Amino acid sequence: MGCWQIAGNHMVNGRPNGWGDFSEKDAVDLLVYAMEQGIELFDTAAGYNYGRSEILLGKALQETNLTPFISSKIALNEQEVFDGRIDEDTFLERLEGSLSRLRLRKIDLL
């Protein structure tokens, strides 16, 4: 299940970017329901509304004892994309941020 849609409205470079309003309760309820119905893979990213998607998925994971496969992505800034690399300290900082938002000790696929 892709989680960009639950991240809600936000702006990127002054333009709307998102799928509309999605309350925290509705998002968490949807994610828990999806897990209970057998969805075993959730794809999220730090860049989905500045981490909101990861936060909501983390809350949903706390409401169930199921352990789906979690895929996430870290965001790169323009210079990192241009250089084709990210330094180790920055990478680890962003990874720790995702782990914290997801309330996890590991991410299955990054």
Side-chain angles (χ1 to χ4, degrees):
M1 177 176 175
C3 296
W4 179 41
Q5 297 86 342
I6 65 164
N9 282 333
H10 58 286
M11 303 293 277
V12 174
N13 297 323
R15 296 190 318 224
N17 186 22
W19 286 69
D21 288 329
F22 217 113
S23 77
E24 179 176 314
K25 181 183 180 333
D26 287 346
V28 171
D29 287 350
L30 174 66
L31 292 164
V32 169
Y33 179 78
M35 288 178 214
E36 290 172 345
Q37 298 307 305
I39 302 297
E40 297 178 340
L41 169 68
F42 291 82
D43 177 66
T44 187
Y48 297 170
N49 197 357
Y50 308 99
R52 184 167 188 258
S53 175
E54 289 180 332
I55 291 167
L56 295 169
L57 181 54
K59 289 181 179 187
L61 290 167
Q62 295 298 301
E63 290 193 16
T64 179
N65 12 337
L66 299 171
T67 55
F69 190 93
I70 304 299
S71 169
S72 193
K73 298 163 283 296
I74 59 170
L76 301 177
N77 65 35
E78 281 186 45
Q79 189 62 49
E80 293 160 347
V81 170
F82 181 77
D83 292 344
R85 68 178 304 276
I86 182 174
D87 69 72
E88 182 179 345
D89 290 338
T90 302
F91 174 82
L92 291 174
E93 178 182 303
R94 292 184 189 160
L95 172 59
E96 290 296 328
S98 288
L99 289 168
S100 176
R101 287 185 294 274
L102 287 162
R103 302 177 186 196
L104 294 173
R105 294 177 49 162
K106 68 175 181 72
I107 295 171
D108 297 300
L109 176 65
L110 182 68

